Amino acid sequence: MRYHILFNPTSNRGKAEKKYNELIKILNEEEIDYTIELTLGKEGTIRQVEEALKKGADVVVAAGGDGTINEVVNGLKGRGILGIIPLGRGNDIAISYRIPRDLRGAVKLLKNGVIREVDMGLLDGRYFVGIAGTGFVGDVNYNSNKLNLTGFKGYIISVFTTLKGFKYPECEFSFDGVSWRGRITLIALGNTSYYGGGVKLLPNSDPEDGYFDVGIVQKIHPLELVATFPLVYVGKHTINPHIKIYRGREVKIVSDHELIISFDGEMIRSKEIKFVNVPKFQKVIRG
C-alpha cells in the first residue's frame, strides 16, 4: 500500500517537531512506501488530503494529535484509509483505537494492523472521530487551552480552576424521540471511550455499533463531582445515580446560554447543536 503522511510539527505544543527525523528513520527501516509533508492546518490540511488521494495514496496518515486526525478525516470524507501516528497531548482517539504511542509501534501497526470500518459523528457539517462534550468538560478544555496547561497535571489543574466558577447550564436534551430538560453538569457523546488525555468518559462505547454512547450528568454538588472524578479514569463513574448513559443515533442540545462544545481537540460555541452518527463511514487501521 502507498502511504501519504501528513505530519503536524505543532502538535503537543510543538514537541512533535523534534520527532520528525526519528519518524523518517523508522519509516525507512520498516520499508514503508510513503511520501510525507508538513500539514498546512485547518482547510489547508483538508486540501492536502484531497491531493494525496488524487495522486493515488491508499492510506492517508495523520501524524499529530486529535485535531490533526479530525482534519484528515474531514479531507477523506469516507474515502481511502485513515492511518494514525499519535504525536499529540492526549491522543484519546489513538488510545481508543489501541494504537501504540511509541513511533515504531505505530509505524508497525500501519503495516500489520487490521482495517476496520468505524462510525463517525457529524456536527454542523463537520465530521468528528471521538467524543464531543459540553458543560463542565467543554469548560475544562477551554480553560486548559487558555491557561496553556498540558498533560495529566495540567488537566487536573484545569478541572479545579473550572470548578470554582462553573455555572450549571440549563439544557433541553433530546435523542431518538426521547427528551429531557434541566440543569446539567455535563453532556458527552461519541463513538470512542477516552477524553481529556486518558479519561475513560464513555467506558462501553463501540466505534462500530452505529450508535453514539451518550452520557449525561445531572446537576450535582461540586463536592460530589470531586468525589466522582477519580472514578472516571477507570470508567467506574457510572455507579453514581446522577450519571446516565444512553445510546442514540441523533442527539440535539438546546440552551438559552452559549455552550462550549469540544471535540477532537477543537472547540465551537453555540446555543443549539445537533449530532448525527454516521455508521461505518471511514476505514481505519487500528489495533
Side-chain angles (χ1 to χ4, degrees):
M1 287 196 296
R2 297 176 62 189
Y3 300 80
H4 185 71
I5 298 167
L6 289 168
F7 184 95
N8 184 355
T10 67
S11 290
N12 195 12
R13 308 295 189 191
K15 293 179 182 177
E17 185 176 14
K18 299 175 183 177
K19 297 187 177 182
Y20 183 83
N21 291 334
E22 182 186 356
L23 175 59
I24 296 294
K25 179 173 179 288
I26 292 170
L27 288 165
N28 292 333
E29 289 173 352
E30 294 294 332
E31 299 181 335
I32 298 286
D33 180 9
Y34 75 95
T35 50
I36 188 168
E37 63 179 325
L38 303 185
T39 57
L40 297 176
K42 305 294 184 183
E43 296 301 319
T45 302
I46 291 173
R47 290 195 299 272
Q48 288 175 297
V49 175
E50 291 277 358
E51 285 300 311
L53 292 174
K54 287 178 184 176
K55 291 177 181 177
D58 300 298
V59 182
V60 181
V61 181
D66 291 347
T68 307
I69 296 170
N70 180 276
E71 291 168 359
V72 171
V73 162
N74 278 278
L76 289 171
K77 295 182 175 67
R79 301 166 295 173
I81 302 168
L82 170 68
I84 297 171
I85 296 175
L87 297 173
R89 278 193 300 162
N91 300 307
D92 293 298
I93 295 169
I95 295 169
S96 294
Y97 286 162
R98 298 191 293 274
I99 295 170
R101 295 182 71 169
D102 67 287
L103 285 182
R104 190 171 297 276
V107 171
K108 282 182 176 292
L109 188 71
L110 288 178
K111 291 200 303 181
N112 305 319
V114 296
I115 299 174
R116 305 286 295 186
E117 291 181 327
V118 298
D119 306 338
M120 293 286 141
L122 187 62
L123 129 91
D124 274 4
R126 187 176 181 90
Y127 296 103
F128 67 98
V129 184
I131 294 175
T134 192
F136 189 73
V137 287
D139 289 9
V140 167
N141 271 284
Y142 173 79
N143 286 328
S144 179
N145 288 336
K146 182 180 176 182
L147 299 171
N148 199 27
L149 299 170
T150 62
F152 174 76
K153 283 186 178 179
Y155 194 78
I156 295 297
I157 292 169
S158 181
V159 164
F160 284 95
T161 301
T162 304
L163 197 60
K164 289 179 182 178
F166 182 67
K167 301 188 187 317
Y168 299 85
E170 185 167 350
C171 298
E172 184 175 345
F173 164 74
S174 58
F175 68 98
D176 298 357
V178 177
S179 62
W180 176 88
R181 185 176 181 89
R183 293 199 174 275
I184 58 123
T185 300
L186 67 88
I187 296 173
L189 60 93
N191 293 306
T192 59
S193 294
Y194 292 92
Y195 186 89
V199 177
K200 205 170 186 181
L201 196 56
L202 299 174
N204 298 313
S205 187
D206 180 350
E208 299 178 29
D209 67 358
Y211 289 86
F212 291 125
D213 271 32
V214 185
I216 178 167
V217 183
Q218 299 167 4
K219 181 180 178 181
I220 58 176
H221 192 279
L223 291 178
E224 185 178 358
L225 179 59
V226 170
T228 303
F229 184 75
L231 299 176
V232 181
Y233 281 89
V234 290
K236 299 296 184 183
H237 54 292
T238 54
I239 64 172
N240 186 310
H242 296 110
I243 299 174
K244 308 293 183 185
I245 303 290
Y246 305 97
R247 296 169 76 239
R249 288 193 172 99
E250 292 192 10
V251 179
K252 187 175 182 181
I253 303 171
V254 180
S255 177
D256 293 336
H257 296 89
E258 192 173 62
L259 300 171
I260 298 173
I261 301 101
S262 61
F263 60 99
D264 292 359
E266 306 293 322
M267 277 180 287
I268 61 172
R269 293 172 178 267
S270 182
K271 292 182 178 181
E272 182 174 328
I273 195 79
K274 182 180 180 181
F275 306 88
V276 178
N277 189 279
V278 188
K280 297 191 179 300
F281 181 71
Q282 182 65 59
K283 288 181 180 178
V284 61
I285 299 173
R286 58 175 298 192

